[in-house]
Amino acid sequence: MAKLVVFVALCLLSVSLATATSNPFLVKGKCYCDTCRCGFETPATKYLAGCKVKVECKNRVTNKITYIIDGVANSKGEYNILVKRDCGDDVCDVVLVESGDKTCNIPNAGRDRARVALTRNNGMTSDVRYANNMGFLSNEPLATCTQILQQYQLTEDQY
Protein backbone atom coordinates (compact mmCIF):
# COMPACT_ATOMS: atom_id res chain seq x y z
CA MET A 1 0.00 0.00 0.00
CA ALA A 2 2.82 2.42 0.83
CA LYS A 3 4.38 1.75 -2.57
CA LEU A 4 1.09 2.65 -4.24
CA VAL A 5 0.86 5.94 -2.31
CA VAL A 6 4.46 6.82 -3.24
CA PHE A 7 3.80 5.92 -6.89
CA VAL A 8 0.67 8.12 -7.05
CA ALA A 9 2.51 10.98 -5.34
CA LEU A 10 5.38 10.75 -7.84
CA CYS A 11 2.93 10.73 -10.75
CA LEU A 12 1.16 13.82 -9.45
CA LEU A 13 4.48 15.56 -8.80
CA SER A 14 5.73 14.84 -12.30
CA VAL A 15 2.50 16.16 -13.85
CA SER A 16 2.66 19.37 -11.81
CA LEU A 17 6.34 19.87 -12.67
CA ALA A 18 5.66 19.29 -16.36
CA THR A 19 2.89 21.89 -16.27
CA ALA A 20 4.98 24.41 -14.32
CA THR A 21 8.01 24.10 -16.57
CA SER A 22 6.21 23.93 -19.93
CA ASN A 23 6.82 26.51 -22.61
CA PRO A 24 4.61 29.59 -22.78
CA PHE A 25 1.93 29.83 -25.46
CA LEU A 26 2.36 32.18 -28.41
CA VAL A 27 -0.95 33.65 -29.59
CA LYS A 28 -0.79 34.92 -33.18
CA GLY A 29 -3.33 36.81 -35.23
CA LYS A 30 -4.10 39.84 -37.38
CA CYS A 31 -6.15 43.04 -37.12
CA TYR A 32 -7.69 44.49 -40.24
CA CYS A 33 -9.79 47.36 -41.50
CA ASP A 34 -12.87 46.30 -43.48
CA THR A 35 -12.67 49.17 -45.97
CA CYS A 36 -15.86 48.06 -47.75
CA ARG A 37 -17.90 47.56 -44.56
CA CYS A 38 -19.04 44.15 -45.77
CA GLY A 39 -18.22 42.10 -42.67
CA PHE A 40 -15.34 40.05 -44.08
CA GLU A 41 -11.89 40.45 -45.63
CA THR A 42 -11.70 41.45 -49.30
CA PRO A 43 -8.88 42.42 -51.68
CA ALA A 44 -9.37 46.00 -50.41
CA THR A 45 -8.80 45.00 -46.78
CA LYS A 46 -6.10 47.00 -45.03
CA TYR A 47 -4.15 45.49 -42.13
CA LEU A 48 -3.79 47.77 -39.12
CA ALA A 49 -0.41 48.70 -37.70
CA GLY A 50 -0.62 49.66 -34.03
CA CYS A 51 -3.93 47.88 -33.44
CA LYS A 52 -4.28 47.05 -29.74
CA VAL A 53 -5.65 43.70 -28.60
CA LYS A 54 -5.77 41.72 -25.38
CA VAL A 55 -5.98 38.10 -24.37
CA GLU A 56 -8.69 37.78 -21.75
CA CYS A 57 -9.47 34.55 -19.87
CA LYS A 58 -12.54 34.06 -17.70
CA ASN A 59 -13.59 31.37 -15.29
CA ARG A 60 -16.06 29.12 -17.11
CA VAL A 61 -18.48 29.07 -14.13
CA THR A 62 -18.25 32.52 -12.54
CA ASN A 63 -17.30 34.49 -15.68
CA LYS A 64 -14.73 36.31 -13.53
CA ILE A 65 -11.54 37.45 -15.33
CA THR A 66 -8.63 35.20 -14.36
CA TYR A 67 -5.92 36.37 -16.78
CA ILE A 68 -5.34 39.33 -19.06
CA ILE A 69 -2.41 40.46 -21.20
CA ASP A 70 -2.16 43.17 -23.88
CA GLY A 71 -0.61 43.11 -27.32
CA VAL A 72 0.01 45.48 -30.25
CA ALA A 73 0.06 44.69 -33.96
CA ASN A 74 3.18 45.33 -36.06
CA SER A 75 3.31 47.20 -39.39
CA LYS A 76 1.60 44.24 -41.13
CA GLY A 77 -1.27 44.15 -38.64
CA GLU A 78 0.13 40.98 -37.03
CA TYR A 79 0.33 40.49 -33.27
CA ASN A 80 2.23 37.95 -31.21
CA ILE A 81 1.32 37.65 -27.53
CA LEU A 82 3.26 35.47 -25.11
CA VAL A 83 0.99 33.80 -22.55
CA LYS A 84 3.16 32.45 -19.76
CA ARG A 85 0.66 30.08 -18.16
CA ASP A 86 -1.75 27.28 -18.90
CA CYS A 87 -5.26 28.65 -18.44
CA GLY A 88 -6.82 25.22 -17.89
CA ASP A 89 -10.63 25.22 -18.10
CA ASP A 90 -10.87 29.00 -18.44
CA VAL A 91 -12.50 30.46 -21.55
CA CYS A 92 -9.95 32.64 -23.38
CA ASP A 93 -10.55 35.17 -26.16
CA VAL A 94 -8.37 37.62 -28.03
CA VAL A 95 -10.34 40.88 -28.01
CA LEU A 96 -9.99 44.07 -30.06
CA VAL A 97 -9.16 47.07 -27.88
CA GLU A 98 -8.25 49.94 -30.20
CA SER A 99 -7.77 50.35 -33.93
CA GLY A 100 -4.91 52.81 -34.18
CA ASP A 101 -6.59 54.30 -37.31
CA LYS A 102 -9.11 57.09 -36.75
CA THR A 103 -10.74 56.44 -40.14
CA CYS A 104 -11.38 52.80 -39.27
CA ASN A 105 -12.30 52.44 -35.63
CA ILE A 106 -15.71 50.78 -35.40
CA PRO A 107 -15.37 47.22 -34.05
CA ASN A 108 -17.04 44.75 -36.42
CA ALA A 109 -19.59 42.88 -34.30
CA GLY A 110 -18.92 39.16 -34.54
CA ARG A 111 -15.36 39.78 -35.75
CA ASP A 112 -14.23 41.71 -32.66
CA ARG A 113 -13.03 38.67 -30.68
CA ALA A 114 -11.52 35.25 -31.36
CA ARG A 115 -11.56 32.20 -29.07
CA VAL A 116 -8.21 30.52 -28.31
CA ALA A 117 -7.47 27.33 -26.35
CA LEU A 118 -4.73 28.11 -23.84
CA THR A 119 -4.28 24.74 -22.21
CA ARG A 120 -2.14 21.68 -22.83
CA ASN A 121 -4.91 19.42 -21.60
CA ASN A 122 -6.56 19.17 -25.03
CA GLY A 123 -4.24 17.08 -27.21
CA MET A 124 -2.69 20.05 -29.05
CA THR A 125 1.10 19.72 -29.06
CA SER A 126 2.15 23.08 -30.48
CA ASP A 127 2.88 26.09 -28.27
CA VAL A 128 1.46 28.37 -30.99
CA ARG A 129 -2.22 29.27 -30.97
CA TYR A 130 -3.74 31.02 -33.99
CA ALA A 131 -6.65 33.40 -33.47
CA ASN A 132 -9.06 34.22 -36.28
CA ASN A 133 -8.45 37.61 -37.88
CA MET A 134 -10.40 40.41 -36.21
CA GLY A 135 -11.59 43.61 -37.79
CA PHE A 136 -12.77 47.15 -37.52
CA LEU A 137 -15.18 48.78 -39.98
CA SER A 138 -14.09 51.79 -41.98
CA ASN A 139 -16.03 54.96 -41.19
CA GLU A 140 -16.78 55.31 -44.93
CA PRO A 141 -16.53 52.57 -47.59
CA LEU A 142 -14.03 53.04 -50.42
CA ALA A 143 -15.38 54.19 -53.78
CA THR A 144 -14.04 50.99 -55.41
CA CYS A 145 -16.02 48.67 -53.13
CA THR A 146 -18.90 48.23 -55.58
CA GLN A 147 -16.58 46.62 -58.15
CA ILE A 148 -14.85 44.54 -55.49
CA LEU A 149 -18.11 43.18 -54.09
CA GLN A 150 -19.36 42.27 -57.57
CA GLN A 151 -16.62 39.59 -57.58
CA TYR A 152 -18.56 37.73 -54.90
CA GLN A 153 -21.91 37.60 -56.69
CA LEU A 154 -22.75 34.44 -58.59
CA THR A 155 -25.08 34.19 -61.57
CA GLU A 156 -27.34 31.14 -62.04
CA ASP A 157 -25.00 29.53 -64.61
CA GLN A 158 -22.09 29.65 -62.10
CA TYR A 159 -23.71 27.32 -59.52
Side-chain angles (χ1 to χ4, degrees):
M1 182 66 171
K3 288 181 182 180
L4 180 63
V5 172
V6 170
F7 175 74
V8 170
L10 286 174
C11 288
L12 291 174
L13 180 62
S14 66
V15 168
S16 67
L17 285 175
T19 303
T21 60
S22 60
N23 293 335
F25 293 106
L26 179 62
V27 178
K28 298 172 77 88
K30 283 186 175 183
C31 299
Y32 67 88
C33 175
D34 179 356
T35 56
C36 290
R37 299 181 58 88
C38 56
F40 54 89
E41 293 169 87
T42 67
T45 294
K46 172 176 91 171
Y47 293 93
L48 295 171
C51 172
K52 294 180 182 175
V53 298
K54 65 181 174 182
V55 173
E56 181 179 83
C57 298
K58 295 181 180 180
N59 180 284
R60 184 177 300 278
V61 176
T62 65
N63 211 31
K64 191 173 187 175
I65 294 175
T66 57
Y67 185 81
I68 195 163
I69 187 167
D70 298 321
V72 179
N74 65 18
S75 62
K76 297 177 185 175
E78 302 167 338
Y79 58 84
N80 295 296
I81 303 173
L82 206 56
V83 176
K84 296 181 180 179
R85 64 170 243 187
D86 188 306
C87 294
D89 283 339
D90 291 346
V91 177
C92 298
D93 291 313
V94 183
V95 183
L96 289 177
V97 175
E98 186 179 307
S99 163
D101 181 345
K102 290 182 171 113
T103 66
C104 188
N105 59 5
I106 304 164
N108 186 359
R111 302 281 292 197
D112 58 345
R113 62 181 45 241
R115 179 77 28 101
V116 289
L118 295 176
T119 183
R120 291 188 178 3
N121 194 21
N122 59 7
M124 298 167 71
T125 57
S126 175
D127 295 329
V128 180
R129 300 295 192 258
Y130 294 96
N132 289 335
N133 292 355
M134 300 181 298
F136 290 92
L137 298 173
S138 177
N139 298 348
E140 292 292 325
L142 297 175
T144 58
C145 287
T146 303
Q147 294 94 5
I148 290 168
L149 293 178
Q150 285 175 350
Q151 297 175 44
Y152 297 99
Q153 293 184 8
L154 298 175
T155 61
E156 285 183 36
D157 59 332
Q158 292 175 313
Y159 289 110

